[in-house]
């Protein structure tokens, strides 16, 4: 399962979303996060879900591949929905089976919250899947450029976030290799009591932390020998270009926000 994780991964492509400027995609995701909280009824949530599916279709990333890579998050989404369904005691009683009681308000809130969580995860995943870590760094640094007047290390902050995103799939691959090596030696973390599983995970965590620190040290040495001294005085080989696509996608999102505000209540 770990080799299918898509967090932090980048898939090269030539789709409409791939061709967007990283600044517009970052702005799009930030505004979309705000727009999600404007939905408060069935119609507005349906519009959000349809708009998310439209973006996924425009990125040419298969929905099955996207959902299969988000299985851990999907489990959390389902768990959140069930918590609302079983523990919200408002509205009319729908189901009464033993100690289980399901109310209309609990079912409604469970569906709404899980849908909100799902579209947020899908949209942020599309950002990382269609934008290289270097482009994310350049776009973030450019957007945060005005903060340099307040002596904030914008370049360093953007670089740290980009490296963090890039390390996620690397650590997942490393975890998968260590897990397979432990299984080949007879270790089993999928059976037994909770205490036994916790003890079985320890041999997995120790080499993972050692590998993570080793990779971080190698990266620091590589940056040092190449003369990296921060963002002061640095030039860019890649120039960001804002095109009509970027303007169109932001305008489309603003239109969707206007529709959500109109349909609220």
């Amino acid at each position: 399962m770990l080799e299918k994780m898509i967090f932090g991964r980048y898939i090269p492509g030539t789709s409409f979303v791939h061709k967007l400027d990283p600044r517009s995609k970052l702005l799009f995701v930030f505004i979309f996060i705000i727009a999600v909280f404007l939905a408060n009824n069935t119609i507005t949530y349906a519009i959000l879900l349809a708009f998310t599916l439209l973006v996924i279709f425009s990125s040419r990333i298969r929905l099955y591949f996207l959902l299969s890579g988000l299985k851990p998050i999907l489990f959390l989404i389902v768990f959140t929905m069930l918590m609302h369904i079983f523990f919200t005691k408002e509205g009319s009683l729908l189901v009464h089976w033993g100690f289980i009681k399901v109310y209309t308000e609990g079912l409604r809130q469970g569906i709404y919250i899980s849908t909100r969580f799902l579209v947020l995860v899908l949209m942020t995943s599309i950002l990382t899947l269609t934008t290289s870590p270097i482009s994310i760094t350049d776009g973030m640094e450019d957007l945060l450029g005005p903060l340099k007047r307040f002596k904030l290390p914008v370049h360093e902050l953007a670089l740290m976030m980009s490296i963090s995103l890039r390390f996620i799939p690397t650590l997942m691959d490393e975890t998968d290799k260590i897990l397979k090596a432990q299984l080949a030696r007879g270790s089993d973390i999928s059976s037994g009591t909770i205490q036994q599983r916790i003890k079985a995970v320890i041999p997995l965590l120790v080499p993972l932390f050692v590998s993570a620190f080793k990779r971080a040290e190698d990266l620091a040495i590589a940056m040092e020998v190449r003369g990296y001294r921060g963002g002061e005085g640095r030039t860019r080989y890649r120039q960001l270009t804002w095109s009509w696509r970027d303007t169109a996608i932001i305008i489309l999102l603003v239109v969707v926000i206007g529709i959500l505000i109109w349909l609220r209540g």
Side-chain angles (χ1 to χ4, degrees):
M1 182 182 70
L2 293 176
E3 67 270 12
K4 295 181 180 179
M5 292 285 287
I6 62 174
F7 295 109
R9 296 187 186 274
Y10 168 61
I11 300 178
T14 58
S15 68
F16 178 85
V17 179
H18 281 86
K19 295 179 180 179
L20 291 174
D21 190 279
R23 294 170 296 180
S24 66
K25 284 189 272 190
L26 289 169
L27 279 175
F28 179 89
V29 171
F30 177 76
I31 299 173
F32 182 82
I33 292 174
I34 299 175
V36 166
F37 293 94
L38 296 175
N40 66 344
N41 53 54
T42 304
I43 298 177
T44 51
Y45 275 104
I47 292 175
L48 274 179
L49 187 58
F51 184 65
T52 304
L53 293 176
L54 176 63
V55 174
I56 294 174
F57 176 77
S58 301
S59 66
R60 296 181 184 175
I61 295 177
R62 292 182 295 130
L63 183 61
Y64 174 78
F65 168 79
L66 194 59
L67 294 177
S68 63
L70 296 174
K71 284 183 180 179
I73 299 297
L74 294 178
F75 171 78
L76 182 60
I77 293 173
V78 173
F79 177 77
T80 303
M81 181 175 65
L82 293 178
M83 291 290 290
H84 280 85
I85 291 176
F86 293 137
F87 292 98
T88 302
K89 307 297 182 181
E90 298 178 6
S92 303
L93 183 64
L94 289 177
V95 177
H96 185 190
W97 185 53
F99 65 92
I100 297 177
K101 295 181 180 180
V102 178
Y103 291 82
T104 54
E105 186 64 20
L107 181 62
R108 187 176 71 89
Q109 288 296 328
I111 295 175
Y112 286 176
I113 297 300
S114 58
T115 302
R116 180 183 296 177
F117 198 0
L118 178 63
V119 296
L120 284 174
V121 171
L122 289 176
M123 200 63 76
T124 52
S125 298
I126 289 296
L127 169 66
T128 57
L129 287 172
T130 60
T131 315
S132 65
I134 296 177
S135 297
I136 292 178
T137 303
D138 293 341
M140 193 176 301
E141 182 180 357
D142 196 77
L143 290 176
L144 298 177
L147 297 179
K148 292 180 180 178
R149 298 181 179 179
F150 302 98
K151 305 299 181 181
L152 288 178
V154 173
H155 175 79
E156 287 74 11
L157 290 174
L159 182 63
M160 284 190 299
M161 296 185 68
S162 175
I163 292 175
S164 300
L165 286 174
R166 183 63 188 88
F167 259 59
I168 292 175
T170 303
L171 291 179
M172 289 297 102
D173 293 339
E174 192 70 24
T175 303
D176 187 58
K177 293 179 181 178
I178 297 173
L179 179 59
K180 290 179 179 178
Q182 295 291 346
L183 291 175
R185 292 176 173 87
S187 177
D188 186 10
I189 63 173
S190 60
S191 61
T193 63
I194 296 178
Q195 185 177 3
Q196 290 174 341
R197 292 186 183 184
I198 294 176
K199 289 182 178 179
V201 169
I202 295 177
L204 181 67
L205 294 178
V206 173
L208 179 62
F209 275 102
V210 171
S211 175
F213 286 123
K214 183 66 170 60
R215 288 181 181 273
E217 183 182 10
D218 292 342
L219 178 61
I221 294 174
M223 295 173 67
E224 184 177 357
V225 299
R226 286 170 173 80
Y228 178 77
R229 294 293 183 271
E232 191 66 28
R234 290 179 62 88
T235 58
R236 291 181 180 175
Y237 174 74
R238 298 166 302 277
Q239 298 297 322
L240 302 179
T241 304
W242 188 282
S243 66
W244 65 268
R245 299 183 184 89
D246 307 290
T247 305
I249 195 67
I250 298 299
I251 292 176
L252 179 60
L253 181 57
V254 172
V255 171
V256 172
I257 292 176
I259 295 174
L260 294 177
I261 296 175
W262 181 54
L263 294 175
R264 280 176 58 89

